[in-house]
Amino acid sequence: MARSDTLRGMDDNLLGGFTPARFLQKHWHKSPLLVRQALPDFLGLLTPPEIKRLAQRPEVQSRLVVRHGQRWELRHGPFRPIDFKTLPDKNWTILIQELNHWLPEGEGLLRQFDFLPHARLDDLMVSYAVPGGGVGPHFDSYDVFLLQGFGTRRWSIAETDDLELLPDTDLKLLQRFSAEAEWDLEAGDMLYLPPHCAHDGIAVSECFTYSIGFRAPNYQEWVEAFLDYLRDQLQVEGRYADPDLKLTSHPGKIPGALVKQVTALLRRELRWSEADVADCVGRYLSEPKPHVFFDTPEQDMPLEDFREQVLQRGLRLDARSQLLFRGGHFYFNGERHAFPESGRALLKQLADQREITATELSGEVLQVFLEAYHAGWVKFS
């Protein structure tokens, strides 16, 4: 099997003849879309031995799902070679999260979807399955593009409100699933599914499927993130005092005056604006996930040497880095930076394209990216 070359730019047939604007209007977050030969000649980015080696690495998030009749067994990596040798000939699948962190070609595949905000992108997941392999009927709470690598997978979908899950299972499987449509996807075919569209993918033959998933935090996450943000930003002076405290006959009772004083304090101090929300969103969406760690260079580089290297080679974001911007504020892996007007165009290019060609850096921009280089957040192109 041939490995597909790293992909650059959006393929003409990626959305089945729809322009990105028309796709967003008609299908995004609304209805499924099947695209035959979305990426012609695409055979995938991995081979079976390669995905098994990835699944053995402790820093890689991997899972193994084995189906025993109507029961699914979930195992978490890292795995050992013996774990794969003892598997049956059918009915199992390996899944790797964040393939774009470990494979440069994965980063290239994600660039096909640059018509969507990076702030919404989650990751590239890959699943390798033998005949009969799958994870069972389920739904996702986010938009996903399912791109077929080599082999054939049969997808069944149902647009239903019956999303009750089976109890007492490690996998979030639907208790009832009745397919309304069914397709066999071959190499290069792609299926887009909006949130909460029930689906079940079963390998017809040995195959790979690449899932481009989009992040959709629930409201609880947003509220918790903003409360954490306010906690970090607030500095409130003063201390509770009650010089007019009254005698009580019920020492276990909370004084009403205490509650009123705290209520007044919170109403006075907890003030926020849209700018605060935007700042919180930028920090939150660019923050690496807790399990993500960066590889730092063996030695620090002097400022002038770094400037010269960027001038000769250019700079790219590490695959695990996220750079977002809003106005003149840039959010780099959870940190906010405000840059002078003269450097913003270059930084926006890096945020949009995740790479800049050989260029001259100076001043504050140069210093920030030297620190980012030492932290492993950027690499030379």
Side-chain angles (χ1 to χ4, degrees), residues 220-378:
Q220 181 72 25
E221 291 176 88
W222 282 124
V223 172
E224 289 179 0
F226 190 63
L227 291 176
D228 288 341
Y229 170 83
L230 288 180
R231 180 191 59 199
D232 294 338
Q233 301 299 313
L234 286 173
Q235 289 186 332
V236 182
E237 301 293 335
R239 185 180 296 274
Y240 177 79
D242 50 6
D244 299 321
L245 182 65
K246 305 298 182 184
L247 181 70
T248 181
S249 58
H250 297 287
K253 181 181 179 181
I254 299 173
L258 186 155
V259 175
K260 288 182 179 180
Q261 187 178 149
V262 174
T263 300
L265 166 70
L266 296 177
R267 285 175 173 167
R268 182 177 68 250
E269 298 294 341
L270 291 183
R271 296 178 178 274
W272 48 270
S273 65
E274 184 175 331
D276 293 316
V277 175
D279 192 39
C280 169
V281 168
R283 294 173 188 267
Y284 180 66
L285 292 180
S286 66
E287 180 77 29
K289 294 177 182 178
H291 64 270
V292 170
F293 294 92
F294 292 88
D295 301 317
T296 58
E298 293 183 1
Q299 293 183 331
D300 285 353
M301 182 175 289
L303 185 67
E304 279 306 307
D305 290 352
F306 178 74
R307 185 190 66 79
E308 187 64 29
Q309 287 294 315
V310 176
L311 184 60
Q312 293 178 9
R313 301 166 59 184
L315 208 60
R316 62 178 173 84
L317 295 178
D318 181 85
R320 290 157 286 192
S321 284
Q322 181 73 290
L323 176 61
L324 305 172
F325 64 87
R326 184 177 187 271
H329 294 292
F330 291 80
Y331 297 91
F332 200 179
N333 289 345
E335 297 180 2
R336 185 186 70 186
H337 298 273
F339 292 104
E341 184 71 36
S342 58
R344 292 177 190 173
L346 185 65
L347 287 162
K348 289 179 180 179
Q349 179 186 342
L350 182 59
D352 288 339
Q353 301 177 14
R354 298 187 59 84
E355 186 173 15
I356 52 176
T357 55
T359 189
E360 177 75 50
L361 293 182
S362 61
E364 185 179 354
V365 176
L366 176 63
Q367 184 61 46
V368 166
F369 279 102
L370 175 62
E371 294 172 5
Y373 171 77
H374 289 154
W377 294 3
V378 296

Side-chain angles (χ1 to χ4, degrees), residues 66-93:
V66 185
R67 180 167 63 86
H68 308 279
Q70 295 302 309
R71 182 176 64 85
W72 279 264
E73 175 191 1
L74 172 64
R75 308 177 197 170
H76 292 276
F79 297 99
R80 303 164 301 165
I82 190 66
D83 294 323
F84 302 122
K85 292 179 180 178
T86 56
L87 288 170
D89 293 333
K90 59 182 181 178
N91 300 340
W92 57 266
T93 183

Side-chain angles (χ1 to χ4, degrees), residues 39-58:
L39 291 178
D41 303 321
F42 179 78
L43 294 177
L45 308 177
L46 288 172
T47 63
E50 287 171 336
I51 194 172
K52 290 176 182 178
R53 285 197 293 271
L54 268 177
Q56 294 173 50
R57 292 168 54 176

Side-chain angles (χ1 to χ4, degrees), residues 153-173:
R153 187 183 291 268
R154 179 167 298 146
W155 285 103
S156 304
I157 71 166
E159 296 183 81
T160 175
D161 294 328
D162 184 4
L163 299 177
E164 186 177 355
L165 301 178
L166 284 171
D168 304 320
T169 62
D170 293 327
L171 294 164
K172 295 181 178 180
L173 300 180

